[in-house]
């Protein structure tokens, strides 16, 4: 075909618009299969992260009643320390109203990152950016079991399930 018979930009655009209006869509299953051929940005990013599982190295709830006197009487927060490769996670869990607040710090070589808490049963995750010191705070988590994970540099650090519940009388 010579360049003289090629439609101009305006004619070509009109042909495309007409085809979009008049031609039926491909079946839904075909469209989903086509989209599934290429992973989205989140799947690509997750596939490029090195997964590191954290190990609990300290839990203040496992200690017997401290004999530290008045200094130890005021702290109701549970203190956990996890080790994960070149990182440590210092985590404080405190009761807040009918739920819980998590506060802590990701220690080790990192420049920013993100933390997320996802309830075992699903639902929307609680998330926060790590500040310049690796500190974070998640407020208002309902009682339940949560998976806490961090994304920092090229690593995804996952903590074991956290059981957030109130101790009985």
């Amino acid at each position: 075909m010579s360049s003289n018979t090629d439609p101009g930009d305006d004619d070509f655009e009109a042909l495309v618009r007409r085809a979009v209006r008049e031609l039926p869509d491909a079946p839904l299953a075909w469209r989903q299969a086509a989209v599934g051929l290429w992973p989205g940005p989140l799947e690509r990013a997750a596939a490029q992260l090195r997964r590191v599982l954290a190990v609990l190295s300290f839990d203040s709830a496992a200690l017997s009643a401290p004999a530290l006197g008045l200094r130890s009487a005021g702290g109701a927060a549970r203190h956990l320390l996890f080790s994960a490769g070149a990182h440590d996670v210092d985590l404080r869990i405190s009761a807040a109203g009918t739920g819980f607040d998590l506060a802590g710090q990701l220690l080790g070589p990192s420049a920013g990152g993100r933390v997320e808490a996802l309830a075992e049963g699903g639902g929307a995750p609680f998330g926060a950016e790590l500040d310049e010191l690796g500190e974070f705070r998640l407020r208002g988590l309902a009682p339940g079991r949560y998976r806490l994970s961090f994304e920092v540099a090229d690593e995804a650090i996952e903590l074991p399930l956290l059981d957030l519940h109130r101790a009985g009388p």
Side-chain angles (χ1 to χ4, degrees):
M1 200 179 249
S2 72
S3 62
N4 293 340
T5 59
D6 288 342
D9 289 342
D10 293 335
D11 293 335
F12 182 72
E13 182 180 350
L15 285 171
V16 169
R17 288 183 185 278
R18 192 177 109 217
V20 167
R21 279 192 314 268
E22 295 176 9
L23 294 176
D25 284 338
L28 179 61
W30 291 8
R31 290 181 299 190
Q32 290 172 338
V35 169
L37 292 175
W38 293 275
L42 293 179
E43 291 85 1
R44 279 194 302 271
Q48 295 170 356
L49 295 176
R50 185 172 72 100
R51 187 170 168 224
V52 179
L53 300 178
V55 176
L56 180 65
S57 54
F58 175 79
D59 183 352
S60 64
L63 298 176
S64 59
L68 300 176
L70 292 176
R71 269 184 41 182
S72 65
R78 180 177 174 193
H79 182 198
L80 301 166
L81 185 62
F82 295 90
S83 296
H87 293 90
D88 290 318
V89 178
D90 180 13
L91 180 64
R92 309 281 171 143
I93 303 171
S94 56
T98 60
F100 295 89
D101 289 346
L102 303 181
Q105 185 176 19
L106 179 67
L107 305 165
S110 61
R114 181 162 180 76
V115 60
E116 279 192 351
L118 181 62
E120 186 177 35
F126 288 80
E129 297 295 320
L130 302 176
D131 71 10
E132 63 277 357
L133 299 174
E135 295 176 334
F136 62 92
R137 183 174 301 274
L138 301 173
R139 297 180 189 270
L141 280 77
R145 292 168 54 97
Y146 290 84
R147 173 125 3 244
L148 200 65
S149 61
F150 297 83
E151 281 191 19
V152 55
D154 62 345
E155 291 185 332
I157 300 169
E158 296 180 12
L159 275 57
L161 276 175
L162 296 174
D163 195 359
L164 303 182
H165 65 280
R166 301 213 187 272

